[in-house]
Each structure stands twice: as C-alpha cells, then as structure tokens.
Amino acid sequence: MKREVRVYNTLTQEKEVFVPREPGKVSVYVCGVTPYSDTHLGHARPSVVWDVIIRFFDWLGFETLQVQNFTDVDDKIIQRALKEGVPALEISKRYIAEYLESMDALGVRRADHYPKVSEHIAEIIGLIQQLVDNGHAYEADGDVFFSVSSFDDYGKLSKQKLEELREGTRFEVDPKKKDAADFALWKAAKPGEPAWDSPWGKGRPGWHIECSAMSLKYLGKEFDFHGGGNDLIFPHHENEIAQSEAATGRPLAHYWVHNGMITLKDAKMSKSLGNIISLKQLLAKYPKGLLRFYLLSTHYRSGLEYYEGKLEEMGRGWSRLNEAARKLQEDLAQAEEGELTESDRETLENLGRLDEEVAEALSDDFNTAMALGVLFDVVREINAYKHRGGANSQVLQKGWDVLKLWAGDILDVLELEKREQEGLTESLLDLLLAVRDELRRERNFALADKIRNGLAELGVSIEDTPQGPRWKV
RNA sequence: GGCGGCAUAGCCAAGUGGUAAGGCAGAGCUCUGCAAAAGCUCCAUCCCCAGUUCGAAUCUGGGUGCCGCCUCCA
C-alpha cells in the first residue's frame, strides 16, 4: 500500500484508517437503483464517486471487487408494468439498460457484478429460512417478518432507538406484525404480481433482503465498504445490517460510506417528488468531463445543488483545467530536452509537491474537492512556467503526468479530444482559419475580425497564439 | 416529536486548535493589430451568544436557519 487511506464511517461517525479485510484487496457493495423510470442526476453521484474511489484504490495497488445491485422486483416496477400492460421484468430490463448506458456515457467503469433480485430468489429464500430458523424472523399468513427486537444492535447505523421508531410510525401498521418496527422479508403474493414458490407459499422478497443475500453471495461476510446515498441509511441499510448480522453473526461491512443528496431548489431530487433532471438530457448537452467535474467539485458527503445554468458556471472553471491539459499535450510535441535551469528545477519540484498533495487529498476521505483545488494550482504552475518561456521537456512531461494521472485517469474530468465534429466541420474550420491568418498577415483586420466574430456567434471561439490559431467549440 | 448532518467572500467550495486552498464573477496591470487565452496584483476573519485555551472557523454549551431520514427513494 502506497499510503494510508482514511474514511468517514457512518457507523462510528468518525474518520477511520482503512484496514482491508484481506491485505491488498478491497471489496465494495454499492446500493444500486430500482429500475422503473429514467436515470437521473441523483443516481450519477454515488456512481461517479465510487468510480473515483475504485480507481484510486486501483492506483494504490489494491485488487478491487465491486458489486452493485438492481432491485428489479419492487412495487413501483409492478405498478408501472400493470399500467403499461407488459411484464414487470420487461420494465426493469429497459431501465437497467438505460441506466448502464448513461453510466457508460459518464465514464463510470463497470462494477464486477450487477446482481438482480429476480435472479437470486433461491439465495434470498435461503437467507430468510436461516433467519426463521434462528428465531430472528417469523411467518405470518404467507408473509415473513424480521423481528427487530431479536436483534440487540438494531438502530446502530442510523442511531435510532427502537422506542422512537415505534412512536414515529406515521403509517398504518400491518396487524400481522408483532412489533410495529418489524419489516417484511417476504411478501405473500397478490393477484397479478410476479411471484415465486417458497416455504411460505407464493410470494416475493421484501425490499431489503436482496442486498443481504447478494452481498453475501458475491462478497462474502464482513466485506470492506458498503455505499449508497444517505437517504438509504434508514431503513434500508439499518435493515440490511439486522438481517445479515443476525444470520451470520458477523459485521456486514466494515465501513459505511454515504453520499449526500443532490437538491433542486432546496429539495432532494427524487422520483417521487418528480423534480428530476434526466441524466440522458444532461449528457446530450454537456461533456461528460464537465458533468464529472461538477459532481466531484464538492465533497461526496455534502449536499450538492443543481440549478439551471450551474453547469455553464462551472464550465468556465472546468475549461481552464481542460484547456491547460490540451495545450500541454500540444506543447509536449515540440518541447526541448536539455539542461535543467534553476526555473526548471523549481517548477519540477513544485509539481512534485502538488502531485503529492492531490494523492493526500484523495487519501483523506476521498476529498475530490480539495484534489481539484490542487489541480488548479498545478495548472497555474504550468502556465506560469510557460509564461516565463519555460519549455523543457522534462518539466512539461511532469506537468502532463500529474494532470493526466489525476484529472485524467482517476477523476476522469478531462476531455482531451475535440468533441466529435460533424464530418467536414473540422477541415472547414482549419481552412477558414488559414484564410483568416492570411488576412491578418496582410493586416486586413476588419475582415479577419469579421470571421472571428462570425464564428463566435456560431459558438466557436478563436485564440491567436504564437503557434497559430486555436479553436474550440 | 426523534435521529443524522450542514451554516466559510457576490456565487461555488476546501480547511476541523496556531492566525482563512482553489474556481467563477469583479478591479488594475502585462502580453496582443484588437481580442481571446495566459501571467502578475487586489478582493472574507469563517450564522449569533456564552465558554474552554496562551491561541478557535476549527473544541464545549445554548440559540437561529437550512438539508436529509423516521413512508418508496442514490
């Protein structure tokens, strides 16, 4: 391990030094989505955050194993299926595909496994049976409930007291429950719903049990990280802990990592509130690097606001980072080797220090906001160096290495390639700029400016540099 | 009502005991045919009150405001 990683653990409410279950390996379970409608911005947050965490561990030399579930058996899916008159699994299949497509477009690396409830009914039934046998669950008229009072640690994650939970119940309690706080592991089948055979009759799994069953199958007991949005802490993760730990007698996961919510006009973005920003739409409008930059600009545990125009605002800062990397890439082609001057050495040294600072920021509870801040320092260091006339290949290479590693490979916020242009656009632009350059040499600035202004109106900005004109869309 | 969290410049956002990173916006300068880009300089005492301490944005207590959860939810 190259360095110590510290992580804030929801369970202990403290930042802890990460000690892997198995040396050199990291196991991660991140709660995925219930696929019944469009993937939205809120879903992108845990995905991108964990994508970065996994990449970082990868860089640290860990072997990573990541599992993300799809809860494809669920009330909402069933409702939707009835409305559309198609099988429930068809609905979930459609939205799973859409989800994965969006995540791919966001540059999120695929998890190792994407288990679905519908394909793990046997494991789920097995786990429920174990809980019934243990005395932690009971059957009632085809339903099976988990008995919270049988699990002493109930509430340890969300810091809830059982008493309060019972009193806080705002909905009608199912009379079949022995305790108002008990929750369903298995639900007896209702007409028209998907159902599977079980020792308790036809039915389907309750909401939380799938994560216990599937994490156990793919990651085993006591895996390292369990992640998801902080809206899942209670009841979902609390219940997962109860089920898993009551069954195995071991801690479910060592570190519980929860990301903050994305809000829209001060309200959480959620399907039920209908204040959703579709990820597909955002991806069509903004480069993925900018989207990731936005998502990583705040510490993962904080809330993150979205509003119309926010990405445009962030885009100005993001461009600075991105353009610096692009230009550096170009400069590197014509960099000169040679003896290091005093200025070269100093810059090299500063870049080395900043490189270390980024690694340190990410090691400290995955502080991407700070990492980005340091990367802007890197940008200034490089630009200032070039401004002084520096062009030593070793120095530029170091700058490139730092940006490429962190902004490119780990955070993945750069867009180094020019955006795909429609067929001829690029060559036409080059031709137009060559003509304009000719005009400038003839000092026909009026016409040259007319071209520049015209292009600006079309969204193409021109920069005249000593190496010739650059354009960007 | 209970639980968890947050409150830092016009905006976004790090910092969690030693005298406030970074980005955007803004002002000035350099460079440029003019721009753009880039560089340099400037731009906050950290919600309020009371404590602890030689010293607090950072710890404690009390307020106020906001967010999340307690119901499906990333």
Side-chain angles (χ1 to χ4, degrees):
Chain A
M1 188 165 37
K2 295 184 191 173
R3 69 206 316 122
E4 188 179 275
V5 175
R6 275 146 286 137
V7 190
Y8 181 87
N9 189 349
T10 307
L11 197 56
T12 57
Q13 297 173 290
E14 274 172 8
K15 225 187 259 184
E16 299 174 20
V17 173
F18 170 62
V19 180
R21 171 180 66 173
E22 260 185 88
K25 294 186 179 184
V26 181
S27 44
V28 178
Y29 187 93
V30 179
C31 277
V33 298
T34 301
Y36 71 91
S37 67
D38 290 342
T39 305
H40 67 256
L41 223 204
H43 297 133
R45 173 110 106 141
S47 302
V48 169
V49 164
W50 280 100
D51 182 47
V52 170
I53 293 175
I54 296 280
R55 290 181 194 221
F56 183 56
F57 273 120
D58 209 41
W59 175 78
L60 286 170
F62 283 91
E63 187 184 314
T64 62
L65 178 60
Q66 190 197 354
V67 176
Q68 185 172 28
N69 67 290
F70 284 115
T71 302
D72 67 342
V73 176
D74 167 270
D75 290 345
K76 292 278 171 59
I77 297 173
I78 293 167
Q79 277 172 25
R80 177 112 193 192
L82 291 173
K83 208 167 93 186
E84 291 191 21
V86 297
L89 286 179
E90 201 168 294
I91 298 286
S92 56
K93 195 174 161 192
R94 181 199 307 166
Y95 289 108
I96 286 172
E98 194 248 16
Y99 174 86
L100 290 174
E101 209 175 290
S102 292
M103 292 309 150
D104 286 349
L106 253 187
V108 173
R109 286 198 199 165
R110 294 273 180 123
D112 296 283
H113 301 284
Y114 287 100
K116 304 183 190 81
V117 178
S118 62
E119 293 168 5
H120 293 80
I121 301 294
E123 287 85 348
I124 290 169
I125 289 174
L127 187 60
I128 296 174
Q129 185 61 253
Q130 203 179 332
L131 289 168
V132 171
D133 295 343
N134 271 344
H136 285 290
Y138 56 93
E139 191 259 337
D141 211 10
D143 288 337
V144 180
F145 296 99
F146 183 89
S147 169
V148 294
S149 60
S150 76
F151 185 69
D152 290 341
D153 282 342
Y154 194 78
K156 71 175 173 183
L157 182 70
S158 58
K159 321 299 171 201
Q160 296 283 344
K161 291 202 169 56
L162 214 36
E163 274 313 303
E164 303 291 348
L165 287 173
R166 291 183 183 118
E167 286 173 17
T169 305
R170 283 196 238 142
F171 55 100
E172 212 177 315
V173 178
D174 187 331
K176 285 183 284 188
K177 289 184 184 177
K178 290 181 184 168
D179 186 318
D182 288 349
F183 56 92
L185 297 173
W186 188 263
K187 297 177 171 179
K190 294 189 193 119
E193 289 185 357
W196 289 265
D197 287 319
S198 83
W200 317 285
K202 275 198 173 293
R204 60 188 169 96
W207 175 33
H208 318 291
I209 193 68
E210 81 281 14
C211 285
S212 288
M214 300 192 298
S215 65
L216 187 62
K217 175 171 178 180
Y218 293 97
L219 297 172
K221 298 173 186 173
E222 285 193 63
F223 52 88
D224 295 310
F225 291 103
H226 194 128
N230 66 13
D231 54 344
L232 295 178
I233 294 172
F234 191 90
H236 188 54
H237 289 164
E238 192 67 70
N239 290 353
E240 276 185 54
I241 287 177
Q243 297 159 348
S244 291
E245 301 190 0
T248 68
R250 309 270 292 280
L252 208 205
H254 291 161
Y255 306 91
W256 289 82
V257 176
H258 292 101
N259 59 272
M261 296 293 103
I262 292 183
T263 55
L264 191 60
K265 293 196 182 83
D266 290 328
K268 175 185 155 188
M269 188 177 294
S270 76
K271 296 178 199 171
S272 49
L273 290 178
N275 57 344
I276 285 175
I277 300 296
S278 149
L279 197 50
K280 209 186 230 175
Q281 283 170 19
L282 288 177
L283 281 162
K285 198 168 169 191
Y286 306 101
K288 82 163 207 294
L290 172 57
L291 255 13
R292 293 177 65 105
F293 179 82
Y294 158 71
L295 290 167
L296 298 170
S297 66
T298 302
H299 184 92
Y300 75 84
R301 229 168 333 103
S302 307
L304 177 59
E305 177 122 26
Y306 178 83
Y307 50 84
E308 191 64 39
K310 175 124 184 193
L311 287 168
E312 280 76 6
E313 282 173 24
M314 305 221 69
R316 290 195 277 273
W318 173 74
S319 264
R320 178 175 157 80
L321 183 64
N322 206 48
E323 287 302 305
R326 279 191 188 176
K327 286 176 183 166
L328 196 49
Q329 201 176 23
E330 292 167 15
D331 294 338
L332 219 39
Q334 45 196 321
E336 308 148 15
E337 293 196 25
E339 289 288 298
L340 291 173
T341 65
E342 187 61 28
S343 163
D344 292 341
R345 280 181 206 291
E346 198 186 316
T347 306
L348 217 42
E349 200 175 296
N350 289 340
L351 287 172
R353 200 190 64 243
L354 293 169
D355 186 18
E356 170 60 27
E357 279 179 31
V358 181
E360 183 49 34
L362 292 177
S363 301
D364 188 9
D365 200 24
F366 317 113
N367 195 337
T368 56
M370 173 160 241
L372 284 170
V374 178
L375 287 171
F376 276 104
D377 287 335
V378 171
V379 167
R380 182 149 31 74
E381 189 69 36
I382 294 166
N383 284 338
Y385 173 72
K386 291 200 298 188
H387 191 257
R388 291 195 299 270
N392 183 285
S393 63
Q394 198 182 330
V395 177
L396 295 178
Q397 183 67 46
K398 177 65 183 174
W400 169 249
D401 288 346
V402 175
L403 286 183
K404 177 68 169 56
L405 171 64
W406 300 114
D409 298 340
I410 306 290
L411 300 179
D412 199 7
V413 295
L414 299 181
E415 296 285 336
L416 294 170
E417 305 301 319
K418 293 215 155 136
R419 285 239 253 173
E420 290 286 322
Q421 300 303 316
E422 289 286 334
L424 288 173
T425 308
E426 183 153 358
S427 41
L428 284 175
L429 264 172
D430 288 344
L431 178 63
L432 196 53
L433 289 182
V435 171
R436 175 171 170 274
D437 228 27
E438 194 67 36
L439 289 169
R440 291 178 63 225
R441 264 196 289 278
E442 290 168 9
R443 306 194 69 76
N444 187 345
F445 297 122
L447 202 48
D449 287 353
K450 192 172 176 185
I451 292 172
R452 184 172 62 194
N453 293 336
L455 286 173
E457 276 173 37
L458 297 172
V460 180
S461 57
I462 303 302
E463 288 173 29
D464 293 314
T465 76
Q467 288 78 39
R470 295 180 90 248
W471 58 270
K472 92 180 158 161
V473 182

